[in-house]
Amino acid sequence: MKLARSSQLARLIVRSASVLVPRRDRSAWTAEWTAELWHLCHPRCCEPDADPLQFSFGAFHDALWIRCDRLRSDALPVVRSGSAARCTLVLCTATLAALLICLCLPGARSALLPIPYRSAGDLVIISSSGYAGAQSPSIRLDDYEEWTTDTATLFRQIAFYRPTDKAVYPAHHPAVRLSLAQASDNLLALLGLPPNTADPSAPHPAQPRLILTRTAWRKTFHSDPHLVGRTADIDGQPVLIAGILPDGDWRFAGHVDALLLEDQHTLATLPAATKGFVIARIRDSAFPAPRDGWRKMVETHFGVTRSFDCISVTRLLGQPSSVFLFALLLACLALPATTALPLGDYPSRRNRLPGTVNARRWVFLAAKFALVLAIVDLGSTGLAYGLSASGPITAIYIQIATAFPALLFGFRWILQDQRRRCPECLRLLSNPARVGQASCNFLSWNGTELFCARGHGLLHIPELPTSWFSTQRWLCLDSSWLCLFPETIAPSPELI
Amino acid sequence: MPVDAKLSHTAAMILQAIRAGQIYGFSVMEMTGLPSGTVYPAMRRLERDGLIVSRWEQQSIADAEQRPARKYYRLTRTGKATLEAVYKRYPLLEKMIPSPERAQEVERT
């Protein structure tokens, strides 16, 4: 009775284990284990010490082994070492990893996304010293105040901000020190940021408003849902916490935890020499197309002429793609200095490879170029904008410094890798052998010989390029050579 | 697998048990004292490497004896050669599980 029960339980265990076995092997596997179990439990041939339960637990080990072995053998042809599929798979994985890293780093993610400001093509940042002035404060407050009235023909709107650190004393929260952008109250309206970021129903319109970034709200105020609408104290002045700015909406220079929006009268209490940034929305009539570049604004004041640069915000913030294209151009120019461009001599006309084989080789080469471009673009953007918190100009330098060498060595690797592959199966050639002697260079060729493990041919690479042997040469082997290559012979076990 | 391949002691015991005439998985377990979770995966590996081969017995034989058909295992030529090479590494293997030829020799002497 006890044996019958444990026999039933053992059969159930074997059936459960069979789920692990691949479908195509499952019926044969279950039949074998069931038959063995029958012989173990049947009264005719039952072993006195046999324990069906203990026996059946081994089925899990067996099923798992078969599953792992099938996985290994099924995956093997696809990702076989040196195969084109493996190379493409590695590059695709790297591209995916770079994309995920970029999406995880807030700075890099916002650099990849479009500029969030309304009609960003009309926005300019005014600087007294070119791109450097877009990275560090360069415009005096008194200049800005003058421009608010004097430049109506050039700009539709003009706003000022300056980065500063201040202690903030919010109600129901301990005091914190935040990096603020002390700005004129029209800044958000000028940028065209969503209205929900600024609370329009402020009880006192003249009261300064504090717009926290989402990161600061989450990290410093632990995502307090009741924070918006409360007041805080900054420099002894009550400030309304008016909203939360989504991550990535602030793209300008300087790390900012919050925007402190103040009206012109409050800003005017700052010293006249206070330096900051000025952002303006241009008039179409004043700046004819194309407007995504760089314009000079010349001002004559009491006989003194000063010039300022109006740098397009799209040019400044939309740098990742243009910087990458510049790095790509440099890499293309430098590539011939680092490696030979020809891919080698392949079969002559009478022994030409089939068209599909040739096409596959070119498609593989194009895929490698596309994937390397994507990896370098995403990687350099991630490094420049994800890890750098010092502003768009530093990010441009970092991106050029990383993208150019990465593209150069990436292209060099692509060409070298392509030259070391069999043109038929696209696998990496193996077993390099040195042939000839350098001292006999004029009598016979010397160099390195590699062969395709599947017996498709031999590659001859000359040690010294000569007029009769200037580049590597591929020699096709016919099927009579196949017996020499073990990978082309299937094992056939024989019975005794 | 090459003839001079190094087999583990467990795999060598299983090969020797099959050579000694234990052609079913359960009988190999009984002869070697190894658990089912070791014997069956090891036999699959040996079969994959071409050292043993499995066959289903004829259904008519099983039906005549009113039992389910069993799967039996036999050594391949490669398996036999590998086993001969392995005796040098595990000299006691033949004594632990004597093969039929060896048993006959012992009886004769």
Side-chain angles (χ1 to χ4, degrees), chain A residues 166-443:
Chain A
K166 283 187 187 292
V168 179
Y169 300 88
H172 310 298
H173 279 279
V176 284
R177 196 154 190 91
L178 295 178
S179 301
L180 299 178
Q182 193 173 7
S184 55
D185 55 3
N186 63 341
L187 181 65
L188 288 182
L190 181 144
L191 295 176
L193 286 175
N196 61 351
T197 55
D199 185 4
S201 61
H204 307 291
Q207 189 179 22
R209 290 175 298 151
L210 190 72
I211 313 288
L212 290 165
T213 60
R214 183 167 289 278
T215 308
W217 174 64
R218 205 173 51 239
K219 286 186 180 166
T220 315
F221 298 102
H222 311 292
S223 307
D224 180 359
H226 307 295
L227 191 68
V228 175
R230 285 185 191 157
T231 52
D233 193 274
I234 300 175
D235 290 342
Q237 184 188 28
V239 170
L240 176 73
I241 301 174
I244 310 291
L245 194 70
D247 285 333
D249 271 10
W250 184 255
R251 300 272 187 97
F252 295 103
H255 170 70
V256 161
D257 293 322
L259 301 177
L260 177 61
L261 303 177
E262 294 176 331
D263 63 4
Q264 296 291 344
H265 298 294
T266 317
L267 271 184
T269 59
L270 292 171
T274 303
K275 285 194 169 179
F277 298 92
V278 172
I279 302 168
R281 189 171 286 281
I282 56 176
R283 284 193 186 280
D284 294 349
S285 53
F287 290 82
R291 277 181 268 131
D292 64 339
W294 175 300
R295 291 283 187 281
K296 280 273 183 204
M297 180 175 81
V298 180
E299 183 191 60
T300 308
H301 198 64
F302 297 117
V304 180
T305 302
R306 293 186 302 162
S307 70
F308 295 91
D309 301 304
C310 299
I311 304 164
S312 163
V313 166
T314 49
R315 165 69 68 90
L316 188 72
L317 303 182
Q319 288 295 344
S321 54
S322 50
V323 170
F324 179 73
L325 288 175
F326 179 62
L328 177 62
L329 176 72
L330 289 182
C332 289
L333 291 174
L335 186 63
T338 63
T339 186
L341 296 183
L343 293 173
D345 280 353
Y346 285 95
S348 59
R349 277 164 199 266
R350 64 187 171 83
N351 205 3
R352 190 180 285 278
L353 292 169
T356 49
V357 173
N358 254 332
R360 210 159 60 94
R361 195 157 62 93
W362 289 110
V363 166
F364 176 57
L365 182 67
K368 276 194 293 185
F369 269 110
L371 288 169
V372 165
L373 283 173
I375 292 167
V376 176
D377 187 15
L378 291 169
S380 62
T381 306
L383 267 176
Y385 293 87
L387 306 179
S388 144
S390 47
I393 305 299
T394 312
I396 289 170
Y397 291 135
I398 293 176
Q399 196 176 15
I400 285 190
T402 50
F404 168 66
L407 282 172
L408 185 62
F409 287 103
F411 289 167
R412 187 183 143 92
W413 168 79
I414 289 171
L415 293 176
Q416 288 182 342
D417 178 78
Q418 192 73 7
R419 283 194 285 260
R420 292 289 179 276
R421 285 184 184 272
C422 167
E424 280 190 54
C425 63
L426 294 179
R427 287 184 62 184
L428 279 176
L429 302 171
S430 55
N431 301 66
R434 288 188 63 82
V435 179
Q437 290 179 330
S439 57
C440 303
N441 195 45
F442 292 107
L443 299 174

Side-chain angles (χ1 to χ4, degrees), chain A residues 27-29 31-36 38-40 42 44-45 47 50 54-59 61-62 65-66 69 72 493-496, chain B residues 24-27 29-30 36-38 40-41 43-45 48 50 53 55-56 65-71 73-78 80:
Chain A
S27 58
W29 182 90
E32 181 182 7
W33 273 89
T34 314
E36 292 297 297
W38 187 91
H39 282 88
L40 182 72
H42 199 265
R44 262 195 306 181
C45 34
E47 290 293 322
Q54 204 179 349
F55 175 79
S56 62
F57 281 127
H61 288 269
D62 190 27
W65 187 88
I66 292 178
D69 189 56
R72 217 175 298 129
E494 297 166 58
L495 269 175
I496 298 170
Chain B
Y24 302 111
F26 182 63
S27 55
M29 277 173 58
E30 280 188 312
S36 59
T38 303
Y40 284 93
M43 290 203 305
R44 314 256 178 247
R45 200 176 302 123
R48 182 196 65 190
V53 70
R55 292 277 187 276
W56 282 96
E65 294 179 13
Q66 294 184 324
R67 60 175 175 80
R70 296 179 86 179
K71 198 177 189 181
Y73 294 86
R74 298 186 68 175
L75 286 183
T76 60
R77 199 183 296 279
T78 318
K80 194 181 176 189

Side-chain angles (χ1 to χ4, degrees), chain A residues 19-84:
Chain A
V19 177
L20 292 173
V21 181
R23 193 184 293 270
R24 62 174 188 249
D25 303 318
R26 195 173 295 159
S27 58
W29 182 90
T30 312
E32 181 182 7
W33 273 89
T34 314
E36 292 297 297
L37 202 57
W38 187 91
H39 282 88
L40 182 72
C41 303
H42 199 265
R44 262 195 306 181
C45 34
C46 177
E47 290 293 322
D49 301 332
D51 182 358
L53 282 179
Q54 204 179 349
F55 175 79
S56 62
F57 281 127
F60 280 104
H61 288 269
D62 190 27
L64 204 62
W65 187 88
I66 292 178
R67 166 67 69 180
C68 295
D69 189 56
R70 288 289 181 272
L71 272 177
R72 217 175 298 129
S73 61
D74 290 350
L76 199 62
V78 179
V79 292
R80 197 187 287 275
S81 175
S83 69

Side-chain angles (χ1 to χ4, degrees), chain A residues 443-477:
Chain A
L443 299 174
S444 63
W445 85 281
N446 72 91
T448 309
E449 202 171 69
L450 298 107
F451 69 81
C452 169
R454 287 186 174 176
H456 292 129
L458 297 167
L459 182 74
H460 302 288
I461 307 166
E463 186 82 40
L464 290 171
T466 54
S467 58
W468 67 92
F469 206 140
S470 59
T471 183
Q472 64 176 41
R473 207 169 280 169
W474 176 254
L475 177 72
C476 281
L477 295 179

